[in-house]
Amino acid sequence: PEETVTSSFASFIHAVQPEHLSKTVRHRSKRMILDSIGVGLVGSTTHVFDIALQYCRELYSSVAVSSVYGKPGVKLSPTLAAFTNGVATHSMDFDDTWHPATHPSGAVLPALLAATQMLPPSTKPNGMDFLLAFNVGLEVQGRLMHFSTEAHNIPKRFHPPSVVGTMGSAAATAKLLALSTAQCAHALGIAASLAGAPMANAATQAKPLHIGNATRLGFEAALLAARGMEANPLILDDIPGCSGFSAFYRVYQPKPLSTPSDHHEFLLEKQDIAFKRFPAHLGMHWVVDAALSVRNLFINYAGSFSPSLIRTIVLKIPVSKYINRPFPSSEHQARHSFQFNACTALLDGEVGLSSFTESSIQRQELRELLDKVVVEHPEDNVANFDKMYGEVALLLHSGDVLTGKCDTFYGHWRKPLSKESLLKKFRSNASHVLPEDKIETIITMVDNLENLADSSKL
């Protein structure tokens, strides 16, 4: 039969093997796995996670075999565990970000962790099988995002992980469950019918559901395909007059995915990942580093940080409505506010977990700084995580102007976190719910994932 875009993706998922993963891809993806577990663990301390967990525990299930982040002894059915852990991963907006823009790990990893615990002892996948399935989920997300030029910029319509993440979860679990080529195609087709969430729910408690649903529903798509459910075998192809996956994009130009070979280059080889140093939308990291830079200049100028000397704070940022929030009133709004994050960095000299508490958000001195903010949108500052910059200028009552600018923050794919910084973040996150010995065990297991005999131990 003639190859289609959809069939090429199905063939890739079915045929790709561990030896196709380069040393660079294995290294980068293990960093992603470790970071994602860490942000999931600290996310299990949030209110939105508690809501999701209570909801899942109230649903009847006789197959409660899969673990929940931060809750030793609690088991849920596999797909509900995936959902709950997905919510935890994105509950603080602390998870990784790729380019084109999406949060790739949180949509895939919880489904794989739950699936390994679901499988009988005789068919437990080893660590290399797990790592391969994880990378299949990443690769499918990345390739789908390259089908549309829209995906390269900060989104306006659909939250990307709710779209490509659902497909990535379906692909990853289809690989882990060793589905046939035809079943892989059906899993993608089913997942497309379960995908999509609007950007209007960014900066609300509903946003973490986007990751929870992506990882859960992609997993369910693979399980349904394994049980014989069929879907449109041309779901990824551009069929005039009858939209498939193209429904999520105004511009859509699908390309076949080549059959895996020794020469196949995974997208993760070419495009590294961004890891966040503090729990907020990725765009905040540019303005925070710019604010910290100008704060140092101001302290050298004035001897200390004295807000009374500042007349106006000018933020030069890209146009993006959902992260331009002058006076956020909740933690989720604060995580999506250029103004809040810049002023917090100026006032405190850092941004961290405690920055987003109710008491921190409502501080009078912070509100006074926010009152001084003026936003500008230079034409050369585009809403694209590979091209944007952040600039913070302090216009002083004396007439002097101090400026800090950040083109590439520490943690961006152009300036990756060091191993030491990534481990420090993981240990800090995990310490909220795990003892030190368990934290170090996870670090060792992920570092040696290729040699792990039973990936369900992770």
Side-chain angles (χ1 to χ4, degrees), residues 171-306:
T173 48
K175 184 63 184 177
L176 196 76
L177 300 174
L179 268 56
S180 70
T181 301
Q183 289 172 324
C184 290
H186 291 311
L188 293 174
I190 297 165
S193 283
L194 303 174
M199 283 305 305
N201 269 329
T204 73
Q205 286 188 337
K207 191 186 181 203
L209 300 182
H210 299 178
I211 297 286
N213 279 332
T215 194
R216 171 193 179 177
L217 297 175
F219 186 3
E220 289 184 3
L223 291 175
L224 289 167
R227 284 157 175 75
M229 181 172 284
E230 298 180 351
N232 191 321
L234 300 176
I235 200 68
L236 301 182
D237 294 78
D238 190 14
I239 307 299
C242 187
S243 294
F245 192 70
S246 62
F248 295 108
Y249 301 99
R250 294 187 181 95
V251 179
Y252 187 74
Q253 297 174 311
K255 297 176 183 177
L257 182 54
S258 59
T259 303
S261 67
D262 293 339
H263 305 293
H264 179 82
E265 187 176 49
F266 280 77
L267 288 176
L268 190 59
E269 181 91 37
K270 296 183 283 188
Q271 176 64 62
D272 201 358
I273 206 81
F275 293 108
K276 299 176 181 180
R277 304 194 319 272
F278 56 89
H281 183 278
L282 194 73
M284 306 305 107
H285 290 65
W286 278 272
V287 295
V288 164
D289 278 14
L292 293 175
S293 174
V294 76
R295 185 180 194 272
N296 288 334
L297 294 177
F298 186 47
I299 289 173
N300 289 335
Y301 170 94
S304 62
F305 185 76
S306 304

Side-chain angles (χ1 to χ4, degrees), residues 103-173:
H103 305 288
S105 297
V108 171
L109 185 60
L112 294 180
L113 291 171
T116 61
Q117 293 185 296
M118 173 188 78
L119 293 169
S122 60
T123 60
K124 295 289 189 190
N126 62 35
M128 198 65 200
D129 293 332
F130 186 96
L131 196 58
L132 177 64
F134 181 74
N135 276 282
V136 165
L138 302 183
E139 185 75 355
V140 165
Q141 291 181 76
R143 297 289 173 178
L144 292 176
M145 287 189 294
H146 280 85
F147 284 0
S148 177
T149 53
E150 288 176 69
H152 285 70
N153 296 331
I154 296 176
K156 297 178 181 178
R157 297 173 65 226
F158 294 99
H159 191 207
S162 75
V163 178
V164 297
T166 310
M167 306 296 280
S169 173
T173 48

